Amino acid sequence: MAKSSLVWLLLSALYFASTANSASTTRSSPGAANFIKVSCGATAYPAVCVQSLSLYASSIKQSPRQLIQTALAVSLDKAQSTKTFVYKLTKFKGIKPREKAAIKDCFEVIDDTVDRLVQSVKELKNMGSSKGQDYQWHISNVQTWMSAALTDENTCVDGFSGKALDGRIKNSIKARFDHVERVTSNALALINKFGY
């Protein structure tokens, strides 16, 4: 519950910051939109990156730090949404035992992913105005947790290997995990680009 509140609070703050600046949006958005587009060029999924961050252009402005925090918040939001979806699947009746086991494994995986992303959000908050080795230490922690989250996300779909587990459940889970993987990969690429 606290994790979803943190995500909601972070995204709400970003949204309200962007709407509160609506008078200056017309002046800052072209520069901010271009900053987002150019920055997203360093990611594996630039179209997803631009689409997921453009809503927050007026709060991102041209700040690498705000861009990273927003990308991380988007990743956490998508992971939390996927966790809720998979949790609901664990409660379905009439699912084959192997599918039920794969769903349970996916829930554990996405739960770990959410934990790692929450750690990353907190780490970025805690770094404040750190510089030098202290700054590098915080960034290194975030990179480690984000990389582990990406590994977790790929592990889930592996549990559905084989023809016996093909179907709507596998496809639904795969689509959601693929999207979480893309936004998380993009957030990590932006951290790598601006973190050093």
Side-chain angles (χ1 to χ4, degrees):
M1 187 61 137
K3 292 175 194 172
S4 63
S5 297
L6 176 67
V7 172
W8 195 91
L9 180 64
L10 191 56
L11 288 174
S12 296
L14 290 170
Y15 176 76
F16 288 121
S18 69
T19 56
N21 293 330
S22 61
S24 64
T25 298
T26 54
R27 286 193 305 255
S28 66
S29 283
N34 189 53
F35 172 69
I36 291 168
K37 185 176 180 182
V38 169
S39 299
C40 286
T43 68
Y45 308 99
V48 172
C49 181
V50 170
Q51 181 270 327
S52 66
L53 298 176
S54 291
L55 176 64
Y56 308 104
S58 62
S59 61
I60 292 171
K61 297 181 177 125
Q62 294 185 36
S63 165
R65 187 174 193 146
Q66 192 63 41
L67 180 74
I68 290 169
Q69 289 175 335
T70 304
L72 190 51
V74 167
S75 178
L76 180 56
D77 179 60
K78 297 301 178 196
Q80 187 65 50
S81 172
T82 299
K83 179 181 172 181
T84 301
F85 174 77
V86 174
Y87 176 76
K88 289 177 182 177
L89 287 178
T90 65
K91 302 302 177 192
F92 275 21
K93 304 288 184 220
I95 295 176
K96 299 175 209 167
R98 280 192 59 207
E99 275 185 322
K100 190 98 169 158
I103 292 167
K104 184 178 179 236
D105 289 345
C106 281
F107 181 75
E108 291 173 12
V109 164
I110 196 65
D111 190 46
D112 287 345
T113 296
V114 168
D115 287 344
R116 287 180 171 97
L117 294 174
V118 166
Q119 285 178 296
S120 298
V121 167
K122 287 179 182 177
E123 192 73 16
L124 281 179
K125 270 187 172 178
N126 291 339
M127 68 190 268
S129 59
S130 299
K131 295 185 187 324
Q133 287 183 325
D134 194 36
Y135 174 82
Q136 294 301 323
W137 182 76
H138 288 292
I139 289 296
S140 177
N141 288 341
V142 172
Q143 290 168 323
T144 299
W145 293 323
M146 298 278 299
S147 295
L150 281 171
T151 301
D152 287 345
E153 292 159 15
N154 291 324
T155 302
C156 167
V157 179
D158 293 343
F160 282 93
S161 62
K163 290 242 182 222
L165 296 178
D166 281 346
R168 287 189 352 221
I169 291 175
K170 176 183 177 178
N171 293 337
S172 296
I173 288 176
K174 183 176 179 348
R176 287 180 181 261
F177 270 82
D178 283 351
H179 191 66
V180 173
E181 187 270 331
R182 288 181 183 125
V183 294
T184 304
S185 171
N186 287 345
L188 179 58
L190 293 171
I191 289 166
N192 291 339
K193 177 180 170 97
F194 292 113
Y196 290 100

